[in-house]
Amino acid sequence: MADIINSSDYQGLTLQEDFKKNVAYINEKFKKKLISPLTITLGDEFQGIAKSLKISTEIIITLEELLMKENANFSLRYIINFGKIDTPINSEIAYGMLGDGLSHARKMLENLKKKEQRFEIAAEKEDKSKALNDAFEILQNLQNRWTSEADKKLVSQFIQYQDYKIIATKTGITRSQIWKKEKSLNISSYFAIKNLISYLSK
């Protein structure tokens, strides 16, 4: 599950259109990896069922990178919960299903609204949950440093090209300046924590 943070602060129609577009992109990209697609249940929330924990974390990372690339003016908080669903799973829309897994995920999302963190994972094993929550906290701390539109654009280019020389050529900025920005934006740390999240999610 996920919801838009402080959604009431934005223009509703524009926000909803952007949200729908991003959810549709994820559903298409992960079509074969979702048991039930990401479905907007309220105007500012979605829920879905992935085939695995690893796919769930991949969806979060992909969506976060997409929002950064688009310089979206909103951010999301996320819940991943391992739990039971009692009713038949709807493979067309993640709606109308019942079970402890969904109920607990809903409570987790409500509780997360009272905290500063944007990610909370409840995996099958407690130690894995703890490790992933620590990793996502590091990820959030890195993201919090990328405050300007220019920084976000540059980080997106590093994610895409992973080579400061290519980015220098494309932007017309000197290699030396791009190399310095790579260090100040902690790009290597971003890739490291991204790889760690992938490893922990297996």
Side-chain angles (χ1 to χ4, degrees), residues 60-189:
I60 290 178
I61 297 295
T62 301
L63 191 45
E64 285 290 285
E65 291 182 348
L66 177 63
L67 293 176
M68 186 164 53
K69 182 179 180 181
E70 294 178 347
N71 192 34
N73 65 346
F74 65 91
S75 57
L76 300 174
R77 63 169 65 86
Y78 303 86
I79 290 294
I80 297 175
N81 182 52
F82 177 86
K84 185 179 180 182
I85 297 175
D86 297 318
T87 55
I89 293 176
N90 188 335
S91 60
E92 300 296 323
I93 183 171
Y95 196 74
M97 296 175 288
L98 298 171
D100 289 342
L102 290 170
S103 299
H104 187 239
R106 171 64 54 195
K107 290 177 183 176
M108 288 172 63
L109 188 59
E110 289 302 314
N111 288 334
L112 194 61
K113 294 178 182 180
K114 304 168 188 175
K115 305 175 183 178
E116 292 185 1
Q117 68 198 75
R118 296 198 298 115
F119 310 92
E120 187 164 356
I121 318 298
E124 187 175 5
K125 296 181 179 179
E126 188 175 346
D127 57 346
K128 179 165 283 193
S129 301
K130 179 67 168 64
L132 278 168
N133 282 314
D134 287 346
F136 271 106
E137 183 174 354
I138 294 170
L139 173 67
Q140 184 176 335
N141 288 338
L142 284 172
Q143 291 175 324
N144 288 344
R145 298 180 182 184
W146 306 330
T147 54
S148 71
E149 182 177 349
D151 281 351
K152 292 176 182 178
K153 183 177 180 180
L154 202 53
V155 171
S156 292
Q157 289 177 315
F158 275 113
I159 290 169
Q160 183 177 358
Y161 301 113
Q162 300 184 29
D163 188 331
Y164 75 94
K165 296 186 292 297
I166 295 175
I167 298 169
T169 300
K170 289 186 172 294
T171 60
I173 303 172
T174 66
R175 289 187 178 186
S176 175
Q177 287 175 304
I178 294 295
W179 182 84
K180 288 177 182 177
K181 289 297 290 184
E182 182 179 13
K183 302 306 175 186
S184 65
L185 292 171
N186 293 295
I187 299 300
S188 62
S189 296

